[in-house]
Amino acid sequence: MVTCLATENSIETSNLSNGMRLVCEYKNTYTATLGCFIPAGAMHEMPEERGSALFLQHLLFKRTRHANQEQLEKTLEELGGKVSAIAMRHMFLFYGTVPSREVNKLIQYFADVILNGTICNQDVEREKCIILHELSKMELNKEQVVMDYLPSIAYQDTMLANSIYPETDVINQFCTENLIEFRKRLFKPPFMTLVCTGPISLQKLEDIVNKNFTRETGDCNNQLSEHSNEIQSYVEPLEYRFSGAELRLRDDDSELGYVAIGVEGPSHNDIEAYFALTVAKEIIGSWNMKSSGANHNAPYIAHRAFNTDLCRMYKSFFHKWTQSTSIWGCYFVCDKLRLEDMLRVVQQEWMRLCTTVTKKEVSRAINQCKTKELVLMNDPENRFFYIVENIFRYGYYVPIQQRLVEYEKITADKIREVSGRYIYDQSPAVVALDRIENLPEYCSIRNGMYLLRY
């Protein structure tokens, strides 16, 4: 076997006196991408703060005590860069890409937005209309709707059940004071991790960040000790109860049915299971009616779908929201009266992962996983996101060489063993929308998660 070799720049980390963590990857490029992630997602909202993360995504770069929206936009135009904010269930992320010589100014821009940002009622009222319009458009994207419902059903009565998109009446009644309190409570340097990938050293990055994020008053060590317990409450991994449950929203006026089915995946500590299920996801694969290869697709479900019109599309997924849990499963779209057949084919493939998956299939999937890992290294923005994901989940970055070695360890026996633990005889979470009269009852779906042997 030929091992795929790859080299990457070293990633250095440090902790500043104000509690902020820096993660820096030096790369000799013409642009730099940097940003901060904070444990300030929908799962961190208090009941009275529901919707705060989503509103802050829209309002973060609106105004500060020193500049209005027009001035902030003009500053960004002069930098020749772009910035964005993303609110998620488990964290809040804002980042930007600028020419490498403008890193200093981008950090100044972020420091002004975070330390001096202001929120007014006028901006909140304006964003209510925009957010409601976006939600109405989102309802047309059935995949996004289904995948947003899935963790809410799987983790009922836990913080992870909070969708980033609150109910319409919550948006209409949203209070500016609650958003200000949410921001004041969580947007503090001790909670922030700044990630930078580009032609800047860690020492230079420390100097710039220290200059712009310095606390104005008080002793840093005393203030950090005051927040230590609060920081631990957001950083430490928590247990989230996974529920085998379902949600069905039937609409017989639709021609298609949209279904997602998933089981609970491993925590970040179970590295072996994580890589095994990542390979298993590639074995199941994905397919849609635009896929090339026609009858020569490797995954069995793709081959079956092309030959029998089993579905319009399907894709396997492996979503990780927190350090202690994840969801592994499959999303598919079918014509009416084909959902039962498609579900049975998917579950049969899952059972085959637990029993008779072949060495050839595993080898092909491992090569696909390696290729995807290597491709990420050449895309600056995706590279930034991948570093953020690693730091958030593990607390450190896993080098590409180590990840490739972990993939090499995966065998057909390991796939069967891990699938037996996480898939076989487990109660899945199911979300189904629109033309779903043909979808079997939950008890029947649950029975498809194991095999009867005589």
Side-chain angles (χ1 to χ4, degrees):
M1 178 180 294
V2 179
T3 302
C4 180
L5 298 177
T7 59
E8 64 179 345
N9 300 288
S10 61
I11 294 179
E12 301 176 291
T13 65
S14 69
N15 295 301
L16 303 183
S17 59
N18 65 358
M20 181 181 288
R21 186 181 185 188
L22 302 185
V23 180
C24 182
E25 178 189 42
Y26 182 87
K27 296 179 69 175
N28 189 18
T29 57
Y30 294 107
T31 63
T33 300
L34 64 94
C36 286
F37 68 86
I38 309 168
M43 62 181 287
H44 300 103
E45 297 169 344
M46 298 296 184
E48 66 274 10
E49 296 172 347
R50 282 293 289 130
S52 293
L54 181 60
F55 271 89
L56 197 56
Q57 173 184 312
H58 286 252
L59 295 170
L60 185 66
F61 301 114
K62 285 292 184 183
R63 65 179 73 242
T64 70
R65 288 197 292 266
H66 306 135
N68 57 30
Q69 184 176 357
E70 291 75 16
Q71 291 170 324
L72 289 174
E73 290 175 351
K74 183 178 179 181
T75 299
L76 197 60
E77 290 176 1
E78 293 173 351
L79 294 180
K82 61 177 182 178
V83 296
S84 184
I86 304 174
M88 293 170 269
R89 286 176 184 263
H90 57 299
M91 69 173 166
F92 190 96
L93 171 68
F94 61 91
Y95 66 98
T97 300
V98 292
S100 56
R101 66 181 181 277
E102 304 291 0
V103 169
N104 191 351
K105 293 181 179 179
L106 181 60
I107 294 177
Q108 292 177 12
Y109 180 91
F110 282 157
D112 187 32
V113 167
I114 295 302
L115 301 180
N116 303 310
T118 60
I119 300 170
C120 65
N121 286 325
Q122 181 182 357
D123 290 336
V124 171
E125 292 302 319
R126 186 185 303 114
E127 291 305 316
K128 285 182 181 180
C129 298
I130 296 174
I131 290 173
L132 290 171
H133 178 65
E134 289 182 355
L135 289 179
S136 66
K137 291 173 59 179
M138 174 190 165
E139 291 179 354
L140 301 177
N141 186 337
K142 300 298 184 179
E143 179 179 353
Q144 189 175 358
V145 173
V146 169
M147 298 310 297
D148 185 64
Y149 273 127
L150 185 62
S152 297
I153 295 302
Y155 299 101
Q156 299 174 50
D157 300 323
T158 71
M159 292 185 296
L160 196 53
N162 286 349
S163 169
I164 195 65
Y165 306 102
E167 294 80 2
T168 302
D169 62 332
V170 172
I171 296 174
N172 286 323
Q173 300 172 18
F174 188 78
C175 181
T176 304
E177 287 71 22
N178 291 335
L179 178 56
I180 294 173
E181 179 59 31
F182 175 80
R183 178 172 181 156
K184 179 180 178 181
R185 181 167 58 87
L186 295 174
F187 279 67
K188 305 172 183 176
F191 290 163
M192 297 181 185
T193 299
L194 189 146
V195 178
C196 178
T197 173
I200 180 172
S201 65
L202 178 63
Q203 183 59 53
K204 185 177 179 181
L205 185 64
E206 286 180 352
D207 294 340
I208 298 173
V209 174
N210 272 323
K211 180 180 178 182
N212 291 282
F213 282 88
T214 301
R215 293 178 180 271
E216 297 180 359
T217 60
D219 179 72
C220 288
N221 291 328
N222 290 338
Q223 294 189 36
L224 281 176
S225 62
E226 292 175 5
H227 294 301
S228 60
N229 293 332
E230 187 180 4
I231 294 171
Q232 284 299 105
S233 68
Y234 290 109
V235 174
E236 287 183 352
L238 302 174
E239 295 296 330
Y240 297 94
R241 183 191 67 257
F242 184 93
S243 301
E246 68 172 0
L247 172 67
R248 300 184 185 221
L249 299 174
R250 179 173 169 176
D251 179 8
D252 287 349
D253 290 332
S254 177
E255 288 297 316
L256 302 175
Y258 307 84
V259 178
I261 176 171
V263 295
E264 184 177 18
S267 71
H268 76 291
N269 292 320
D270 197 345
I271 300 292
E272 193 176 56
Y274 169 81
F275 281 95
L277 286 180
T278 301
V279 173
K281 179 177 78 72
E282 291 299 323
I283 293 174
I284 300 299
S286 60
W287 179 88
N288 61 53
M289 299 180 73
K290 297 180 181 179
S291 296
S292 59
N295 200 36
H296 303 291
N297 287 285
Y300 171 76
I301 301 178
H303 183 88
R304 178 84 174 266
F306 174 77
N307 283 283
T308 65
D309 295 325
L310 183 65
C311 66
R312 293 289 186 95
M313 65 84 65
Y314 84 93
K315 63 169 65 174
S316 51
F317 60 81
F318 191 9
H319 291 167
K320 289 79 67 176
W321 286 283
T322 70
Q323 295 179 338
S324 58
T325 189
S326 57
I327 296 182
W328 186 97
C330 186
Y331 167 79
F332 52 88
V333 180
C334 296
D335 291 309
K336 58 182 180 180
L337 305 182
R338 298 310 304 268
L339 288 173
E340 182 176 11
D341 294 336
M342 179 61 186
L343 179 65
R344 294 308 178 210
V345 170
V346 169
Q347 290 186 303
Q348 287 169 10
E349 280 298 281
W350 286 6
M351 294 304 98
R352 203 170 61 80
L353 289 175
C354 304
T355 55
T356 59
V357 66
T358 64
K359 180 179 178 181
K360 185 176 181 180
E361 289 175 297
V362 174
S363 178
R364 176 190 62 80
I366 288 174
N367 289 334
Q368 286 184 320
C369 290
K370 288 187 196 176
T371 299
K372 290 182 177 181
E373 296 272 2
L374 295 171
V375 167
L376 284 176
M377 295 181 63
N378 296 322
D379 187 316
E381 196 165 292
N382 284 336
R383 173 69 172 162
F384 168 80
F385 286 135
Y386 198 83
I387 295 174
V388 168
E389 182 183 354
N390 269 251
I391 298 298
F392 183 83
R393 181 172 301 113
Y394 305 112
Y396 60 91
Y397 178 74
V398 182
I400 183 65
Q401 293 88 346
Q402 182 179 338
R403 297 200 298 274
L404 296 181
V405 169
E406 291 294 334
Y407 282 121
E408 290 285 358
K409 294 178 183 178
I410 304 301
T411 63
D413 288 337
K414 178 56 63 178
I415 295 291
R416 286 191 284 268
E417 186 265 323
V418 172
S419 297
R421 273 193 287 142
Y422 287 97
I423 303 174
Y424 192 84
D425 201 19
Q426 299 299 312
S427 297
V430 181
V431 175
L433 300 183
D434 289 356
R435 195 65 180 268
I436 56 173
E437 74 270 27
N438 183 237
L439 187 68
E441 296 294 328
Y442 185 81
C443 289
S444 179
I445 296 175
R446 177 63 179 85
N447 290 338
M449 299 299 294
Y450 62 88
L451 297 171
L452 293 175
R453 297 182 175 87
Y454 298 94

